[in-house]
């Protein structure tokens, strides 16, 4: 049963966490492009897709610690320090994703959509008026249409990815491993 749980745990980690780390990493540069050109529908669609991937796979990602816990129970290693550290880092990574990454993605997505809506309604207006409306629409969402918001999001995403990389390393090179490594 241990091998079965381990296989499911590793597959869940690959299938659930992998897409979140990639999509979350792609979001900030995509947001910069979309904010720079509010009329670019493809950039806005890409952001919506990346955010949906992050949300859906974050939900599926709950299987990773659940299956990891089942694996650890069957291996009898629940009290090992490397596993406790891994569980703590997994909890922190989940908190970073849920509290810092996903909400900021939503804010940026709203700013992009507001800017695109303002851009579409002011297309016939003069350049000065269009610029004012676009800036006001982005400001009303609580996110300035500037790279600072995307830089902060990239930082939080990097922290999330670093936490998962650390957990992965602990899982592979665990103290007391029977693999001989």
């Amino acid at each position: 049963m241990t091998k079965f749980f381990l296989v499911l745990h590793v597959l869940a980690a690959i299938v659930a966490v992998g897409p979140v780390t990639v999509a979350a990493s792609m979001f900030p540069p995509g947001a910069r492009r979309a904010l720079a050109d509010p009329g670019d529908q493809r950039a806005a669609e890409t952001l919506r897709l990346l955010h949906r991937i992050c949300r859906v796979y974050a939900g599926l990602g709950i299987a990773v610690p659940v299956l990891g816990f089942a694996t650890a129970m069957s291996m009898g290693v629940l009290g090992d320090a490397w596993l406790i550290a891994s569980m703590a880092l997994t909890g922190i990574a989940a908190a970073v994703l849920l509290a810092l990454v996903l909400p900021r993605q939503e804010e940026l997505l709203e700013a992009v959509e507001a800017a695109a809506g303002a851009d579409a309604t002011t297309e016939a207006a003069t350049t000065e008026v269009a610029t004012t409306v676009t800036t006001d629409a982005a400001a009303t969402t609580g996110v300035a249409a500037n790279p600072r918001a995307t830089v902060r999001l990239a930082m939080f995403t990097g922290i999330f990815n670093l936490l998962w990389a650390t957990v992965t390393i602990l899982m592979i090179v665990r103290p007391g491993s029977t693999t001989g490594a």
Side-chain angles (χ1 to χ4, degrees):
M1 200 65 174
T2 299
K3 289 182 183 181
F4 177 71
F5 283 138
L6 183 58
V7 167
L8 289 179
H9 172 62
V10 171
L11 285 174
I14 292 168
V15 170
V17 179
V20 174
T21 58
V22 172
S25 296
M26 292 173 65
F27 194 94
R32 279 186 222 106
R33 278 191 300 279
L35 288 169
D37 184 7
D40 186 358
Q41 286 292 35
R42 186 173 177 166
E45 290 170 5
T46 300
L47 281 187
R48 279 191 288 279
L49 175 64
L50 291 172
H51 179 62
R52 190 172 351 156
I53 289 169
C54 290
R55 267 195 351 258
V56 168
Y57 283 94
L60 295 174
I62 192 69
V64 177
V66 168
L67 291 166
F69 188 79
T71 304
M73 278 182 45
S74 68
M75 292 174 68
V77 294
L78 277 177
D80 289 4
W82 65 271
L83 184 66
I84 293 168
S86 294
M87 290 189 300
L89 291 173
T90 298
I92 294 168
V96 168
L97 180 65
L98 295 174
L100 300 173
V101 174
L102 291 177
R104 281 172 176 74
Q105 283 183 351
E106 290 170 10
E107 290 172 358
L108 284 166
L109 192 55
E110 288 173 8
V112 166
E113 289 171 348
D119 189 52
T121 59
T122 59
E123 211 169 86
T126 63
T127 306
E128 182 179 325
V129 172
T131 304
T132 303
V133 171
T134 301
T135 304
D136 290 344
T140 60
T141 64
V143 176
N146 66 41
R148 288 184 97 174
T150 61
V151 169
R152 274 191 299 274
L153 175 59
M155 177 188 68
F156 293 133
T157 300
I159 291 168
F160 170 75
N161 291 343
L162 183 61
L163 288 165
W164 272 115
T166 305
V167 169
T168 303
I169 291 167
L170 282 171
M171 290 292 148
I172 294 169
V173 187
R174 61 189 193 271
S177 172
T178 59
T179 61

